[in-house]
Amino acid sequence: MAKSSKLASSDVELYNGSSSSKEERMNAQVNGEEDDEEEIEAVARSVDTFGEDDDIVPEEIVDDVDDDEYNGANPEISKREKERLKEMQKLKKQKIQEILDTQNAAIDADMVRILGKMELASKEKSKASAVAVNAEIRRTKARLLEEVPKLQRLAVKKVKGISTEEMAARNDQMSSSPSTSSTAIKFDSDERFDNKYFQEFEQSSQFRQDYEMRKMKQAYQGLDMISEVLDTLKNMAHDMNEELDRQVPLMDEINTKVDKAAADFKNTNVRLKDTVTQLRSSRNFCIDIVLLCIVLGIAAYLYK
Amino acid sequence: MSGSDPGKLISKADNLTTLSLTRWSADWESATRLYEQAANGFRVSKDYENAKLAFEKASKGREMLSSPWDAAKSMESAAALAKELRNWTEVIDFYRKASELYMQCDRPQFASDSLAKAARAVEDALPSDAIKLYSDACVLLEDDRKEQMALDLYHAVTNIYVKLEKYTDAVAFLLKLGLAADKCNATNSQCKAYLSAVIVYLYAHDLKQAEKCYNDCSQIDAFLRSDQNRFAGKLLSAYKEGDVEEIKRVAQSRSITNLDSVIIKLARKLPTGDVAAFKTNAAIGEGEALDENDLK
């Protein structure tokens, strides 16, 4: 209850009061979070003031009537007339009250509807519905604003017991709040409007781009794949190039070392050959064979 | 001999090497032979601790015999066994010793190789030590003017830094990679290195540094003419516009898949953080630029 009334009061600040009675109620709410019963009392008070003011007019009429009648009638007739006038006054009061009640009820209903719409608008995600809701809010606000001067005039005439400063203050409040509220709302809605608008436009253009790209993709899918493969191949080729570059000096080193080893081998082979030749020369070989024969002869002789 | 207990061989070899009244000079040759046999025996029987000790002693013997090459080889075997035992400090020590011995043989490649093996062994356990080992290996190779071999090592260092989330250091090494690649005319690797540097900066969410790096690298002709340059440009402009979808799309393109696997993982995770901030800054910057032009 308190929350809703708080929300109502804050929103009510945005939506200017369209009648002095409304303003009274608004002020009451803003000041103290009063209950509905107090609202009704305030309305009744304003109505009473209206009623009191209205009493002046019929009293004037009554006075005129009385004057007329007094000029040519009895006091009894005047009494009856007075009673009738009183009844008429009561009826008039009632009617005025009813009118005011209906008016206030209508304004209330409008306010409630607008509040609901505001909440809806804040929750609305879709651009179109937000626009529609905001338009309706603006229409209702315009209607209420139209009624403001009428009621203002009424307030000036009828409302008693309110100092001129307060009236001026109220008028200021009324005149100031519409601008802020309207800018507030417009700002919000426009902001939302623009963002969503641009978003959706981007979305649609993006979608169109995607569609075109998809079309192109289908046609050039093969080319894409080829380019990917070529990229990989290029990278592999580069890496192979670098690896080979790395291997080249190593290979050169191996080459040098193997050459050196081969030269060593050759050298060794030659020397070995020399040694073996030296060892196995024919002269030495003959001497070896002769000596061997002698040894065998001696052995045979000994064993024979 | 081969069938006898490795323990016995070790004790026998120890006897041969210890000096005493009966022995006035150590017989390193036979001792070394015995040590090696014992070590092989231990290794076969999966007694890694003793095998490691035996290889150590064998290496010392070889050193005494003035053959640093064989000593280094034995030391490497010892280090491999230490790795099995997960004794990281010993692994580092042995590999360092082996690399020194290789340098004595005037074989810097092997020296750097052994350091690289050490780094690879300990990179999970001791990443900072691994980085040191890798850097030393790279220095050895560069001194020998074999920068091409160093490229892999630089990649490894970068991966470690990325794992440790030290992105500026990673970028520094990538740029060193680029320099080494430039010296040996490996333009593809160079361009990939620069692109990786830009990506690492963007992953660290440092657009200014990334742009600076990109500008610096654009001074180099090889990079300027390359695909990687275009790709880096596209990525940076997507970042400046703050367009997350564009960044993701650009990061999926082919140029990324040719990079190192670690860098690919980083690129796939782009963008990190809020690119909208870059966008507003860029917009302000561009606005000012336009005003200056108007005044002119």
Side-chain angles (χ1 to χ4, degrees):
Chain A
M1 179 69 181
K3 251 192 186 174
S4 62
S5 63
K6 246 193 194 167
L7 190 68
S9 67
S10 63
D11 286 327
V12 154
E13 277 177 25
L14 292 178
Y15 286 98
N16 53 334
S18 44
S19 66
S20 57
S21 63
K22 215 75 185 97
E23 284 218 47
E24 268 193 279
R25 249 187 293 152
M26 259 171 38
N27 286 335
Q29 274 183 350
V30 165
N31 291 335
E33 294 182 8
E34 292 179 16
D35 295 321
D36 292 13
E37 290 174 9
E38 291 184 356
E39 265 185 49
I40 295 169
E41 280 178 22
V43 169
R45 250 184 279 128
S46 62
V47 166
D48 283 340
T49 56
F50 275 126
E52 283 171 16
D53 289 333
D54 282 337
D55 281 339
I56 299 171
V57 173
E59 275 173 348
E60 289 174 3
I61 300 169
V62 162
D63 285 340
D64 288 339
V65 168
D66 277 347
D67 284 337
D68 286 337
E69 293 199 348
Y70 187 66
N71 289 329
N74 293 339
E76 282 182 15
I77 298 172
S78 66
K79 267 191 194 167
R80 256 184 284 141
E81 286 295 326
K82 274 187 189 166
E83 278 174 18
R84 232 193 319 150
L85 280 166
K86 275 186 191 161
E87 278 175 28
M88 276 172 64
Q89 278 173 25
K90 274 187 199 159
L91 275 171
K92 205 175 181 183
K93 234 205 265 185
Q94 272 178 12
K95 272 191 192 162
I96 289 168
Q97 195 167 2
E98 275 171 33
I99 291 168
L100 281 171
D101 280 341
T102 47
Q103 233 180 25
N104 287 332
I107 291 172
D108 268 338
D110 279 338
M111 293 282 291
V112 163
R113 219 184 41 242
I114 289 175
L115 286 173
K117 286 251 157 65
M118 276 258 304
E119 280 179 27
L120 257 181
S122 64
K123 284 183 212 150
E124 274 299 339
K125 295 228 164 75
S126 148
K127 173 201 76 167
S129 35
V131 163
V133 161
N134 286 331
E136 186 148 355
I137 290 171
R138 280 196 216 105
R139 248 184 290 147
T140 324
K141 224 177 51 118
R143 203 157 34 85
L144 289 172
L145 274 172
E146 277 172 19
E147 292 180 32
V148 165
K150 262 195 281 174
L151 294 164
Q152 244 177 356
R153 273 179 264 134
L154 256 180
V156 166
K157 265 197 283 181
K158 308 284 186 186
V159 176
K160 269 206 303 203
I162 301 175
S163 61
T164 43
E165 286 107 6
E166 217 176 308
M167 290 279 288
R170 278 192 194 169
N171 286 339
D172 286 336
Q173 195 180 19
M174 259 187 1
S175 55
S176 63
S177 47
S179 53
T180 52
S181 68
S182 62
T183 49
I185 291 168
K186 216 192 264 182
F187 183 77
D188 279 345
S189 63
D190 276 346
E191 190 72 0
R192 266 204 308 269
F193 188 74
D194 282 342
N195 279 345
K196 285 224 173 90
Y197 177 73
F198 279 128
Q199 263 181 21
E200 303 229 337
F201 184 72
E202 270 180 25
Q203 269 181 25
S204 64
S205 68
Q206 186 67 31
F207 187 72
R208 208 176 304 130
Q209 273 180 19
D210 284 345
Y211 169 68
E212 279 169 15
M213 275 191 63
R214 225 170 284 140
K215 254 179 36 179
M216 273 173 60
K217 261 188 193 171
Q218 274 178 2
Y220 296 110
Q221 217 170 13
L223 282 178
D224 279 339
M225 279 190 64
I226 290 173
S227 86
E228 273 184 32
V229 169
L230 279 175
D231 254 334
T232 320
L233 274 177
K234 180 184 167 196
N235 183 50
M236 273 164 50
H238 268 297
D239 286 341
M240 276 160 65
N241 188 22
E242 284 183 8
E243 194 60 38
L244 284 172
D245 283 341
R246 206 191 294 194
Q247 304 285 342
V248 161
L250 295 175
M251 295 297 283
D252 286 342
E253 238 184 87
I254 290 174
N255 212 12
T256 326
K257 284 192 183 153
V258 165
D259 281 344
K260 196 165 126 217
D264 277 344
F265 260 126
K266 265 196 199 152
N267 216 4
T268 315
N269 270 343
V270 164
R271 285 206 339 242
L272 196 61
K273 194 173 165 193
D274 280 343
T275 317
V276 165
T277 321
Q278 208 178 12
L279 279 173
R280 293 192 59 195
S281 68
S282 41
R283 196 164 55 125
N284 290 344
F285 196 57
C286 283
I287 291 172
D288 285 339
I289 287 175
V290 163
L291 282 172
L292 196 64
C293 288
I294 290 170
V295 164
L296 279 172
I298 291 171
Y301 184 67
L302 279 173
Y303 277 120
K304 260 199 195 152
Chain B
M1 274 284 223
S2 58
S4 48
D5 189 23
K8 279 197 203 147
L9 290 171
I10 287 261
S11 46
K12 207 163 156 191
D14 282 334
N15 283 340
L16 283 171
T17 52
T18 45
L19 296 170
S20 62
L21 283 170
T22 51
R23 197 186 300 284
W24 288 20
S25 67
D27 183 9
W28 283 110
E29 257 194 60
S30 34
T32 313
R33 255 203 323 263
L34 289 170
Y35 278 135
E36 281 176 356
Q37 278 175 6
N40 284 328
F42 279 129
R43 193 165 43 180
V44 162
S45 58
K46 299 213 190 291
D47 186 0
Y48 293 131
E49 184 67 44
N50 283 326
K52 179 175 64 109
L53 283 167
F55 270 122
E56 230 182 300
K57 288 185 184 158
S59 157
K60 186 145 173 284
R62 288 284 179 201
E63 226 182 304
M64 290 295 179
L65 293 171
S66 314
S67 59
W69 177 261
D70 295 312
K73 281 262 179 257
S74 306
M75 211 32 122
E76 278 201 340
S77 320
L81 290 166
K83 194 172 92 171
E84 295 287 325
L85 294 169
R86 299 185 168 280
N87 196 338
W88 306 122
T89 40
E90 272 194 7
V91 166
I92 295 175
D93 286 335
F94 287 157
Y95 271 122
R96 274 207 189 274
K97 192 98 208 311
S99 96
E100 278 166 25
L101 289 163
Y102 279 127
M103 285 306 285
Q104 278 180 24
C105 304
D106 200 22
R107 307 289 283 273
Q109 280 182 48
F110 282 95
S112 81
D113 230 5
S114 60
L115 288 176
K117 278 188 216 164
R120 217 165 294 136
V122 303
E123 74 184 350
D124 288 327
L126 304 165
S128 41
D129 286 323
I131 289 171
K132 184 102 201 346
L133 287 163
Y134 272 128
S135 333
D136 293 340
C138 294
V139 162
L140 281 172
L141 283 172
E142 279 178 356
D143 288 339
D144 195 35
R145 312 238 300 247
K146 294 237 167 16
E147 295 90 1
Q148 267 171 332
M149 316 291 184
L151 298 182
D152 286 331
L153 300 175
Y154 282 128
H155 267 302
V157 177
T158 315
N159 293 345
I160 296 178
Y161 271 130
V162 165
K163 241 196 296 182
L164 294 173
E165 297 191 0
K166 291 192 184 152
Y167 296 117
T168 33
D169 294 324
V171 171
F173 265 92
L174 279 169
L175 294 175
K176 272 195 211 171
L177 208 180
L179 181 63
D182 188 48
K183 278 196 202 147
C184 48
N185 290 327
T187 45
N188 201 26
S189 293
Q190 193 185 12
C191 300
K192 285 203 273 194
Y194 292 144
L195 178 59
S196 311
V198 171
I199 288 176
V200 169
Y201 266 135
L202 288 175
Y203 186 79
H205 210 58
D206 196 348
L207 183 61
K208 282 207 177 57
Q209 284 296 330
E211 282 182 358
K212 261 195 247 175
C213 180
Y214 175 68
N215 289 333
D216 289 336
C217 300
S218 306
Q219 311 263 341
I220 297 165
D221 280 338
F223 184 64
L224 200 59
R225 281 185 266 120
S226 69
D227 289 338
Q228 281 85 3
N229 180 32
R230 275 192 298 118
F231 173 76
K234 266 195 266 178
L235 193 59
L236 282 171
S237 59
Y239 250 90
K240 271 190 250 185
E241 285 167 21
D243 190 352
V244 175
E245 287 304 317
E246 179 70 21
I247 292 168
K248 284 208 172 82
R249 204 171 52 82
V250 169
Q252 302 293 330
S253 80
R254 300 299 302 175
S255 299
I256 289 287
T257 47
N258 297 336
L259 297 174
D260 200 27
S261 56
V262 172
I263 308 289
I264 294 177
K265 273 188 226 155
L266 292 185
R268 296 243 192 273
K269 288 186 198 155
L270 286 176
T272 53
D274 185 25
V275 291
F278 292 140
K279 186 180 169 185
T280 42
N281 287 338
I284 290 167
E286 281 174 20
E288 287 174 4
L290 281 171
D291 286 337
E292 281 180 37
N293 287 334
D294 286 341
L295 284 171
K296 280 178 190 170

